Amino acid sequence: MSVGEQAQVTRTSRLLLAMAAVAVAFAAADTYVVVLALPDMMTGVGVPIDQLQRAAPIVSGFLLGYVAMLPLIGRIADLRGRVPVLVMALVLFALGSLITTLSYDMPSIVAGRFLQGVGGGGLVPATLALVADLYPAERRGVPLGIVSAVQEIGSVLGPLFGAAVLAFSDWRAIFAINLAVGLVLAAAIRALAPHERTAPGRRHVDLVGLLLVLATMAGGAVVFLRPAPLMRDLTWGRLFIPFAGDGRWLTPSGAATVMALILLVAWCWFAARPLFDLRGWVRVLVEADLTGALLLAAALGGVILAFATADPKIEVFSPRGRWYLLGAAVATAAFVWHVRRAANPLVPRGALRRTPAWGALLVSFFVGAALIAALIDIPLFARTTVYPDDQLPAALVLVRFLLALPVGAVAGGYLIRTVSPAIVTAGGMLMAAAGFVLMTRWGLTTIEEPIANVALITGGLGFGLALAPVNAALLAHTDDDVHGVASAFVVVARMVGMLVGISALTTIGLRRYYAEQGEVPPVQEVCDGRSRCEEFSDLLRVAGIAQEHAVFWGAAGCAVVAAVLALVVFRGVRPDRVSTREALSGH
């Protein structure tokens, strides 16, 4: 290969990684996009606004898809390749966006959000593994830092993107944009992959498959949208009369759509060169250990539901959550038994045997447990103190923290080229702990003062510094053929840490709040017989501040635990450049 060809390959690889990073950022933004749109989404699918608890599946459905399917997708990325998984993940994300856009009831919107979660979550391990494929160990730090940075930028862009769209349109436009962006990114990544190109003159278009796809999508659109002109027409209106009951899929239009879908699946299974290689993907699913993946998904799903359904005012997890945890324990035991007996398990035996590999999962768990306190409780503190009636300024306080985080992520990627990942990770998490300790000094008006930025920037930089070293240590101490599934487990550990952390820390904080509130004198005593006064409101705000201080102290403790663990489990991990020189010299 000539120098010019090598340069072209390098440019193409960098552009491919850039497109994958953009996809990761966009999918991460979708995690937070429902923050402002959730009330409108509830109304759109017939859920009253005063029954907020019924909207929980809209959020938990995405989270389940994002976390529970990650290990399977990561393993498929090891077996099938990074680019095909990136493309398929984006197609699933786009399909989920389409279903969410057209949804008319809770099952349909939850199904759409679940598919969005599966696709969005699958982008992360495939992109991290792609970094390991494209860059040698001594040059991975900065790309890993950039991927970590853009993933965190998504948490900033999500609410802003949602607010911008809602200012001009309704919530369905958000997911329509997701659909378009997902398909464009999938096409761009597929076009950039050299091994995906077809030689001139040998291109093949599956016209039958394409027509069946269009027929299925058109029929689905009719079922979901139920156009008024068609329903009012004496002839076409018969398409919407159910055979039995009142379900939309028990109508002629619904039956025709299901039949088109069945024909599409049959064609993709039996055709020689179908539009979608269904048989190939089924073989990959079997090879990737679908049984093990389902057992692990059940275990992770039980943990997610146990903590997501908890009432933090009472306990860490609800009575129903105990049954979820019991189911998770049974599924975990079955998964361990399966892995020990399967010929080709989801997690190859010995894949995470090295201390830095499994240690990265522990560190990631506590990083997530600490990080969620910042994401949730910094805006809550702002609402409790100076912005009780305005959500936007409270959210903008968190932006200061989030803008520092990607800067720290890139800096961490640079630092691990010459400094041990143990030192960089521990230093970052101690900075994060220091930021939380400074937050425990905040008072009623501190959030408006410039001094508040010291805590926000220190904490954001600290978390950012810790992201790339954890991923780099994991990738450096796992084999190339398990980078995808290993990266998936790091993300899963962090997400589970966030779930457990927010439930436990919120419970601690609320108990402190109720203790402080119990010491507040009666309102009539404070307000001289009046039902309300500013002095009494200030006392309640002080109790709210005590609650947030308790959460910040707990988060600081989690950050310190992550720092200590990093020093222990990464103690033998050398800087990238040092490790490479030793390898080349034979030491």
Side-chain angles (χ1 to χ4, degrees):
M1 183 181 293
S2 67
V3 175
E5 290 174 332
Q6 290 178 345
Q8 180 62 35
V9 170
T10 301
R11 286 193 295 270
T12 301
S13 298
R14 288 176 177 172
L15 187 56
L16 175 62
L17 183 58
M19 290 292 100
V22 170
V24 168
F26 202 79
D30 202 69
T31 308
Y32 301 91
V33 78
V34 299
V35 171
L36 298 178
L38 188 58
D40 292 337
M41 294 172 69
M42 292 171 57
T43 304
V45 296
V47 178
I49 196 66
D50 59 349
Q51 298 182 20
L52 187 61
Q53 71 279 2
R54 290 181 57 191
I58 297 177
V59 178
S60 59
F62 181 91
L63 190 60
L64 276 170
Y66 194 97
V67 176
M69 293 291 106
L70 261 179
L72 177 62
I73 297 175
R75 186 59 182 149
I76 292 173
D78 292 330
L79 297 173
R80 182 90 180 197
R82 319 306 184 196
V83 171
V85 168
L86 284 170
V87 172
M88 185 53 59
L90 282 166
V91 170
L92 284 175
F93 179 79
L95 178 60
S97 300
L98 175 62
I99 294 174
T100 305
T101 303
L102 302 177
S103 58
Y104 57 88
D105 59 4
M106 279 296 293
S108 59
I109 198 170
V110 171
R113 291 291 289 165
F114 178 82
L115 286 176
Q116 280 187 295
V118 172
L123 294 170
V124 180
T127 301
L128 292 174
L130 182 64
V131 171
D133 291 348
L134 297 179
Y135 292 89
E138 71 274 12
R139 295 177 55 202
R140 285 178 191 162
V142 176
L144 286 174
I146 292 174
V147 172
S148 300
V150 298
Q151 187 178 5
E152 300 307 325
I153 288 174
S155 61
V156 181
L157 298 179
L160 297 178
F161 167 59
V165 175
L166 291 175
F168 299 97
S169 186
D170 67 358
W171 64 272
R172 297 183 188 274
I174 295 174
F175 300 100
I177 294 172
N178 285 350
L179 168 63
V181 173
L183 292 177
V184 169
L185 287 173
I189 289 174
R190 191 175 191 279
L192 284 170
H195 59 278
E196 291 290 325
R197 293 173 184 164
T198 306
R202 298 182 61 187
R203 298 182 183 275
H204 171 75
V205 178
D206 180 15
L207 292 177
V208 175
L210 184 59
L211 289 173
L212 288 173
V213 167
L214 293 176
T216 303
M217 293 183 65
V222 170
V223 173
F224 275 80
L225 296 177
R226 304 184 79 174
L230 289 181
M231 292 187 67
R232 287 195 298 263
D233 188 90
L234 292 177
T235 301
W236 293 105
R238 296 176 182 175
L239 295 175
F240 303 96
I241 300 175
F243 302 122
D246 57 357
R248 296 194 182 194
W249 298 99
L250 297 177
T251 62
S253 58
T257 302
V258 171
M259 181 57 66
L261 178 61
I262 292 173
L263 291 174
L264 173 62
V265 171
W267 177 261
C268 290
W269 184 266
F270 293 107
R273 300 175 66 183
L275 183 68
F276 175 71
D277 185 12
L278 183 59
R279 281 186 296 179
W281 280 100
V282 169
R283 284 195 299 268
V284 171
L285 284 174
V286 173
E287 187 179 357
D289 187 16
L290 180 60
T291 301
L294 292 176
L295 289 173
L296 184 58
L300 292 173
V303 173
I304 291 170
L305 291 174
F307 289 97
T309 59
D311 183 355
K313 296 181 182 180
I314 303 173
E315 54 193 346
V316 177
F317 46 83
S318 64
R320 183 181 298 177
R322 292 184 173 89
W323 290 107
Y324 288 137
L325 287 178
L326 177 61
V330 172
T332 300
F335 173 72
V336 172
W337 179 82
H338 173 79
V339 167
R340 295 172 66 89
R341 295 178 60 88
N344 297 297
L346 176 70
V347 185
R349 283 177 282 275
L352 300 172
R353 66 186 181 279
R354 301 183 180 96
T355 299
W358 59 259
L361 307 187
L362 285 178
V363 175
S364 186
F365 176 90
F366 283 98
V367 169
L371 179 59
I372 193 64
L375 298 178
I376 299 297
D377 285 272
I378 289 175
L380 280 179
F381 189 97
R383 290 289 299 274
T384 300
T385 54
V386 297
Y387 304 118
D389 301 317
D390 200 341
Q391 183 175 351
L392 182 58
L396 291 178
V397 173
L398 180 62
V399 169
R400 306 176 209 171
F401 173 91
L402 292 173
L403 288 177
L405 203 154
V407 175
V410 176
Y414 274 105
L415 285 174
I416 60 173
R417 301 175 70 181
T418 54
V419 182
S420 168
I423 301 300
V424 178
T425 305
M429 293 314 297
L430 289 177
M431 284 181 63
F436 282 124
V437 171
L438 291 174
M439 292 177 199
T440 64
R441 312 302 300 173
W442 284 354
L444 280 172
T445 61
T446 308
I447 208 76
E448 293 182 306
E449 301 169 6
I451 192 66
N453 292 328
V454 176
L456 293 168
I457 293 173
T458 300
L461 287 174
F463 276 109
L465 284 172
L467 296 178
V470 173
N471 289 325
L474 173 86
L475 292 172
H477 290 82
T478 50
D479 298 331
D480 292 347
D481 58 352
V482 295
H483 279 164
V485 69
S487 298
F489 272 100
V490 166
V491 179
V492 168
R494 181 177 164 190
M495 296 294 291
V496 172
M498 294 174 79
L499 280 169
V500 177
I502 192 55
S503 185
L505 294 176
T506 301
T507 300
I508 294 171
L510 282 170
R511 288 178 178 174
R512 175 68 182 278
Y513 173 77
Y514 292 130
E516 292 287 330
Q517 191 185 45
E519 299 179 5
V520 175
V523 61
Q524 291 82 5
E525 181 180 330
V526 176
C527 301
D528 297 326
R530 290 173 292 167
S531 62
R532 198 74 173 182
C533 63
E534 187 64 27
E535 291 81 1
F536 186 77
S537 298
D538 286 343
L539 289 175
L540 293 181
R541 279 198 287 269
V542 169
I545 289 174
Q547 170 191 346
E548 299 303 335
H549 285 174
V551 172
F552 292 148
W553 277 116
C558 291
V560 170
V561 171
V564 173
L565 283 173
L567 289 174
V568 174
V569 299
F570 297 157
R571 65 183 181 276
V573 182
R574 302 292 186 88
D576 286 336
R577 286 182 173 177
V578 173
S579 298
T580 303
R581 287 199 299 270
E582 289 180 348
L584 292 175
S585 63
H587 295 294

